[in-house]
Amino acid sequence: EAAVQRVLAEEPGAFKQVADEPITAQALAGAARELSAIEHPAMDSPTPLVADLLRVYRRAIGRLAGRYYLQHEAYTAAAQHLSDAGNLILYRLNPTSAAERSFLALLQKHGEDISDESVVAPTQVIHTSDADDEVRSVVRLVRKHLANGTPGHRIGVLYAAADPYLPLLHEHLSAGRIAYAAPEHHTLVDRPSARALLGILDLDHEKMPRRDLFTLLAEGALMRPAIEDDEISQRQLELLTRRDEPVVGGLDWQSLTRVGAHEKHHDRAVALYDFVQRLRPRLEATVGAPDWATVAHELNALLDHHVRTPNSDTARTDLSLIREDCTDLALMDGIAPEPTATRVLEAVSVRLEAHRDIHGTSGAGVTVAPIAAGAGRDFDVSIVVGAAEGMVPTPRPDNPLLPPELVGTTARDHIRAQHVALASAVSSGTVERIITFPRGDLRGGGEKVPSRWLIPALTELAGRDVNVVNWQRQTEGVPSIVAVESFDVGAQHADDRIGASAASDTEWRLRELAAVPANHRRGTLDDPIIDLGMHMRSDRLNGRFTRFNGNLAGVRDRITTFDQPVSPTGLETWVASPYQYFLEHILQLKALDDPDEIAQIDAITRGTLIHTILERYVLDTIDGAQRDFTRLNLIAQDVLDEAKADSPGWLEQLWAKDRGSIVRDLADWYQHDYTDHVHGWRPTDAECSFDTEPEVSLALADSTIRFRGQVDRIDTHTDGRIRVTDYKTGKVDKYRDLAEDTPTNSGLRFQLPVYGLFARTRGKDVEARYWFVTRKGQFKSIGYPVTDNVIATLAADMELVHRCIVAGQFPPKIVETTWDLPVIDLLGRAGLRRAWANLENVDDLAGYVKKYGG
């Protein structure tokens, strides 16, 4: 492939438009390898594509022939020494190319050829719903034969395609505790050290994208940034670069250098920045090396400095193989074109993907191998899996690079070779020969039919004509043709034709449960986890209000919500969604924002910025600064600049639009604020907090609630009135019903009356309002005087909230909104809606449902 890449780099010819694509070199190298079995590949009147392939092949081979043997040279050398080989026996050889057929013809002159025509003659056929059930059935069958005394090494399982059968066979044979020997399905390239090296080579070393880098660090094979040899945890790295100093990549990493020494995350920021600064030049030196010998050196240095020292024998062996592969890259000098990032990654990938070991020990367990490996084998029981049309035979599309006139092999030759391989694999079983196939596809609803080569066998077993259309009906009731209807049927009902044994411990447990009526299954298995799962499922389905759907009555003594001052907006969250309140305020779960996913400012951040700007402006005004839009604009520009620096994912065009919108809103707000000033209002406080001092409390029938909060603004009128203001940057719609006679909007809004309660610690004539400070809210004010009646209404509404929270009631009602609810969305809104629908008639929740609806 490297030699082909060099030819394409020097003179791409017909492949000019795709010469830089890795797949081009791969395709041409694959064709060149097949051509290397022919001494002088040529073709009369080749197409322009084939003619240019031959040009590329000859130039590439010219660079390789001095160092490496070609396939046709191996055939020639073997042919020259056939007379020295002694007596030869040719046993069921199945040539797949013209070169192999030519060599076989020579062998036949020097030995005895045993190549009788095998036929596909199974003793049993099994068909299942899909490949997963197919392999489960095979495991039951293997257990049956093992139990009947057949040694494991006398059983062969031969698969049609590695995907999906090889991983399924590994999974289910292991679950069935059956020893087996098979090609590995998780090879070196799938394991941590190799994945880490390939991942780090695939990084954009100029931008060093945070998400990609941290994904690699999370796998554990790479060393993480450290402070005095103590590695920083993945959680701390995520918090640092998502919350404290948001980073996407590129110049964002520089923000870590601006963290002050007094800040608690300073040491972590320094360590992470140093880590990135060490990794970046090492990657640049690797992918920008002048030759492949330097690449090999730099790759080993990369492994030395950034890959963790393995603890297990497997990991140590993996790292040793990776080092050997990296060192061997030096051999590409003189063959490959100059290194680039793509070529280095491709070269390392090719080498790492070439390692495929064997799981288990040959001869010490069931043999698992491809169908092609079945020729010449001697088993008591042969089992061929995947014999569905489309997999057996596997169609081979025409290759415009390798027409039959060039390689001497037609599509018919390939199909015939597959037929011979299947027949040989089936006939390798001397006692039992089983073929299985799936009726459906694991990846979709497509229907599969038996292989064309299986139809004659089905006809013979059924004793009647079987065709590809009506084969299921035509084979019903035939003892030697077994239909496994589904996983449920196969797991719960033993079929003696396959074997009474279950395929795994899980199936034994399913059978045990299936023997008991559904409403008596709890406790059937000696497994507390399964019992809890059944309990949970039953409670949710039958509408019982228990710990599995928000009833914390059993641990209500641990709910300390009202032991400290509470936020009125938090209690509003409980009203709207008790379960969300439980997750966010009691369990204190939070979803971290990902800077990569935030392309523009969101509504909450927009509101926070406007609050910050107005806070600074009002505080300066209180300190004596003149009311002046120029000053407001300067403050806004500083705050918005800081916000952009802390939000690297925002797109410039969208930010320019949003920034302009914010400034326009502030300009309009200034005019309204000035009018307010003309009418006698003067700000006296901004962002004024209350908690334990001063204490803001509300007496209920049997208890007292203390509140905490932060008032955006307090104004005093020239006539002595006090007004508390909470800024809002959204629409007015949700707040229209607030008035003096409905101060909580029927128990939905507590913020204004609580803020009014705080303001009453400064005087009796108090107003509370929401001020909508953007064009979206039309700069409206919604509020009312905070009278004794308002406080009485607040207390009455708080009774229910207080009683339910103290009782531990957090049912899974959720807010009906199009907004993201990160923690709720992780659990799934649909499931929570179903759970709440089943609880609406529960007596314990009658007060809540009556007040707030279902």
Side-chain angles (χ1 to χ4, degrees):
E1 186 174 335
V4 168
Q5 283 179 343
R6 183 168 178 180
V7 175
L8 292 175
E10 294 171 348
E11 191 178 343
F15 307 101
K16 181 177 181 179
Q17 292 184 341
V18 292
D20 293 332
E21 298 295 331
I23 191 66
T24 303
Q26 292 170 11
L28 293 177
R33 181 169 182 81
E34 194 162 335
L35 290 178
S36 70
I38 305 170
E39 184 172 3
H40 298 294
M43 176 181 170
D44 294 333
S45 304
T47 65
L49 198 64
V50 172
D52 219 41
L53 164 66
L54 292 172
R55 175 188 65 83
V56 172
Y57 168 77
R58 294 184 186 107
R59 290 191 58 182
I61 290 301
R63 291 194 172 99
L64 296 172
R67 297 193 196 183
Y68 304 101
Y69 288 105
L70 303 178
Q71 289 188 70
H72 74 83
E73 293 174 327
Y75 286 125
T76 300
Q80 291 172 350
H81 293 81
L82 280 179
S83 58
D84 303 328
N87 295 324
L88 298 177
I89 298 176
L90 318 179
Y91 184 64
R92 290 188 175 177
L93 299 185
N94 185 22
T96 58
S97 68
E100 289 179 359
R101 287 196 298 273
S102 298
F103 185 62
L104 177 57
L106 291 174
L107 290 174
Q108 289 169 336
K109 296 178 181 179
H110 291 79
E112 183 177 354
D113 187 6
I114 302 174
S115 56
D116 59 314
E117 288 292 332
S118 301
V119 294
V120 181
T123 57
Q124 186 181 55
V125 173
I126 302 170
H127 56 89
T128 64
S129 57
D130 56 40
D132 192 43
D133 277 348
E134 182 184 2
V135 174
R136 291 178 193 274
S137 299
V138 166
V139 172
R140 297 185 197 110
L141 192 63
V142 169
R143 291 175 68 92
K144 169 188 172 181
H145 285 289
L146 290 173
N148 290 340
T150 303
H153 69 277
R154 299 292 300 163
I155 300 174
V157 179
L158 307 164
Y159 53 85
D163 179 24
Y165 288 103
L166 188 55
L168 288 175
L169 286 164
H170 275 273
E171 176 186 351
H172 293 305
L173 287 171
S174 297
R177 304 181 187 181
I178 297 171
Y180 63 96
E184 282 189 340
H185 71 293
H186 288 310
T187 61
L188 172 62
V189 77
D190 300 312
R191 294 195 285 270
S193 295
R195 281 204 313 269
L197 178 59
L198 294 177
I200 209 167
L201 289 176
D202 199 29
L203 276 179
D204 183 336
H205 61 270
E206 294 180 355
K207 292 184 178 179
M208 293 296 287
R210 178 200 62 86
R211 178 188 283 181
D212 295 345
L213 176 60
F214 280 16
T215 298
L216 293 173
L217 294 178
E219 292 196 358
L222 295 176
M223 291 183 284
R224 291 195 300 270
I227 302 173
E228 296 181 354
D229 298 328
D230 184 15
E231 288 192 355
I232 303 172
S233 71
Q234 192 74 21
R235 174 181 178 274
Q236 289 176 321
L237 291 174
E238 295 287 355
L239 287 171
L240 173 63
T241 55
R242 287 177 182 237
R243 184 191 64 190
D244 300 329
E245 303 295 330
V247 172
V248 173
L251 296 177
D252 303 342
W253 295 108
Q254 294 294 330
S255 67
L256 299 175
T257 64
R258 297 190 287 270
V259 178
H262 62 284
E263 297 184 69
K264 63 180 181 180
H265 57 278
H266 172 265
D267 290 345
R268 293 194 293 274
V270 171
L272 177 56
Y273 182 75
D274 289 346
F275 175 86
V276 172
Q277 290 304 103
R278 291 195 309 273
L279 178 59
R280 179 182 281 131
R282 192 165 296 282
L283 284 175
E284 289 175 350
T286 302
V287 301
D291 52 53
W292 289 96
T294 306
V295 169
H297 172 77
E298 292 295 341
L299 283 173
N300 277 288
L302 193 65
L303 295 171
D304 290 336
H305 291 90
H306 291 281
V307 175
R308 197 183 304 280
T309 302
N311 294 322
S312 68
D313 291 340
T314 299
R316 280 191 287 270
T317 300
D318 285 350
L319 190 55
S320 177
L321 289 172
I322 293 170
R323 288 186 181 279
E324 290 177 10
D325 285 340
C326 291
T327 301
D328 285 348
L329 289 178
L331 299 173
M332 291 173 62
D333 278 325
I335 295 175
E338 291 183 357
T340 64
T342 301
R343 289 168 184 162
V344 171
L345 175 62
E346 188 67 21
V348 175
S349 298
V350 167
R351 281 162 173 75
L352 297 185
E353 289 169 359
H355 295 279
R356 184 175 290 276
D357 295 330
I358 296 295
H359 167 89
T361 303
S362 180
V366 174
T367 296
V368 177
I371 284 178
R377 303 300 290 262
D378 179 26
F379 299 119
D380 288 346
V381 179
S382 64
I383 306 172
V384 174
V385 300
E389 187 68 22
M391 289 190 286
V392 177
T394 302
R396 172 165 167 156
D398 291 335
N399 187 344
L401 293 174
L402 298 173
E405 296 86 351
L406 178 62
V407 295
T409 304
T410 64
R412 181 178 180 180
D413 295 327
H414 288 290
I415 295 295
R416 181 185 177 283
Q418 292 185 63
H419 188 208
V420 172
L422 174 66
S424 298
V426 174
S427 61
S428 63
T430 57
V431 179
E432 291 283 347
R433 297 175 297 280
I434 300 102
I435 295 182
T436 71
F437 66 93
R439 299 187 299 272
D441 194 323
L442 280 173
R443 295 181 175 86
E447 184 177 338
K448 291 187 177 295
V449 296
S451 167
R452 67 189 76 170
W453 296 326
L454 188 53
I455 295 296
L458 291 174
T459 297
E460 184 175 345
L461 292 174
R464 65 177 74 97
D465 287 340
V466 174
N467 59 57
V468 76
V469 176
N470 300 308
W471 66 270
Q472 288 195 66
R473 180 175 55 80
Q474 293 163 343
T475 58
E476 285 179 355
V478 178
S480 55
I481 301 176
V482 183
V484 179
E485 297 302 330
S486 65
F487 167 75
D488 188 50
V489 172
Q492 295 184 27
H493 304 285
D495 188 326
D496 290 336
R497 293 174 295 175
I498 297 178
S501 175
S504 64
D505 291 349
T506 299
E507 288 194 13
W508 282 119
R509 292 147 73 89
L510 288 172
R511 288 186 185 182
E512 193 171 355
L513 288 173
V516 179
N519 57 346
H520 292 93
R521 285 176 183 166
R522 198 181 309 166
T524 300
L525 301 178
D526 184 17
D527 190 322
I529 294 176
I530 287 182
D531 286 345
L532 285 173
M534 290 181 176
H535 191 174
M536 176 183 68
R537 186 171 183 270
S538 176
D539 288 348
R540 289 181 174 177
L541 286 175
N542 294 292
R544 289 188 287 268
F545 188 40
T546 68
R547 58 176 169 157
F548 297 116
N549 48 20
N551 188 349
L552 274 67
V555 291
R556 60 180 176 270
D557 56 315
R558 298 188 182 185
I559 299 173
T560 59
T561 299
F562 294 106
D563 291 356
Q564 303 294 330
V566 295
S567 162
T569 53
L571 298 181
E572 290 176 7
T573 299
W574 181 87
V575 168
S577 176
Y579 199 65
Q580 183 176 345
Y581 180 87
F582 167 66
L583 295 173
E584 295 181 354
H585 292 265
I586 294 182
L587 295 185
Q588 297 184 2
L589 299 181
K590 295 180 180 178
L592 282 177
D593 290 331
D594 188 342
D596 292 80
E597 296 179 353
I598 304 174
Q600 70 180 111
I601 188 171
D602 59 89
I604 294 176
T605 304
R606 177 192 291 268
T608 301
L609 292 179
I610 292 176
H611 277 65
T612 302
I613 294 166
L614 297 183
E615 174 194 354
R616 294 186 187 180
Y617 175 77
V618 172
L619 285 174
D620 288 348
T621 303
I622 294 170
D623 290 340
Q626 291 294 321
R627 293 177 178 275
D628 179 29
F629 175 70
T630 301
R631 177 167 62 85
L632 175 61
N633 188 49
L634 289 174
I635 293 171
Q637 299 308 323
D638 288 342
V639 172
L640 296 176
D641 286 344
E642 292 170 8
K644 180 62 177 74
D646 291 338
S647 305
W650 290 353
L651 299 178
E652 290 292 342
Q653 300 92 328
L654 296 177
W655 171 237
K657 173 179 172 292
D658 291 327
R659 182 173 186 144
S661 174
I662 291 172
V663 172
R664 286 192 297 273
D665 283 338
L666 291 172
D668 290 347
W669 173 87
Y670 173 78
Q671 296 298 328
H672 287 83
D673 184 64
Y674 188 82
T675 301
D676 218 31
H677 172 71
V678 170
H679 287 94
W681 290 103
R682 303 289 186 273
T684 56
D685 279 296
E687 296 299 321
C688 183
S689 299
F690 59 91
D691 196 330
T692 55
E693 184 61 39
E695 181 176 291
V696 177
S697 60
L698 180 68
L700 305 181
D702 299 319
S703 60
T704 299
I705 299 178
R706 292 174 296 152
F707 294 102
R708 59 180 170 83
Q710 190 171 40
V711 179
D712 290 337
R713 175 172 175 167
I714 300 178
D715 292 270
T716 302
H717 198 271
T718 52
D719 62 10
R721 284 179 292 157
I722 299 172
R723 183 180 66 191
V724 290
T725 297
D726 187 74
Y727 298 132
K728 294 296 181 186
T729 54
K731 293 183 177 180
V732 180
D733 301 0
K734 294 187 296 183
Y735 305 91
R736 292 186 186 278
D737 295 332
L738 288 174
E740 186 176 355
D741 57 343
T742 55
T744 64
N745 192 11
S746 301
L748 297 175
R749 306 288 174 195
F750 306 131
Q751 188 179 21
L752 281 188
V754 170
Y755 283 7
L757 198 61
F758 162 64
R760 281 163 64 110
T761 64
R762 301 186 173 195
K764 294 300 182 182
D765 194 355
V766 172
E767 299 176 20
R769 68 164 179 169
Y770 288 127
W771 189 7
F772 295 84
V773 295
T774 64
R775 295 181 180 185
K776 183 182 290 186
Q778 300 176 339
F779 300 94
K780 290 185 176 180
S781 290
I782 293 179
Y784 44 77
V786 182
T787 62
D788 290 343
N789 287 336
V790 167
I791 302 304
T793 302
L794 174 65
D797 289 335
M798 278 293 176
E799 286 283 356
L800 174 64
V801 175
H802 181 271
R803 183 173 70 251
C804 291
I805 291 178
V806 169
Q809 295 179 358
F810 303 95
K813 181 185 178 184
I814 60 173
V815 179
E816 295 298 331
T817 178
T818 57
W819 292 100
D820 289 339
L821 300 172
V823 176
I824 291 294
D825 289 338
L826 284 172
L827 297 171
R829 298 193 194 193
L832 292 173
R833 287 194 187 98
R834 287 194 296 270
W836 171 241
N838 289 335
L839 292 175
E840 289 180 311
N841 297 318
V842 172
D843 291 341
D844 289 348
L845 301 175
Y848 178 89
V849 173
K850 181 179 179 181
K851 178 76 172 178
Y852 299 114

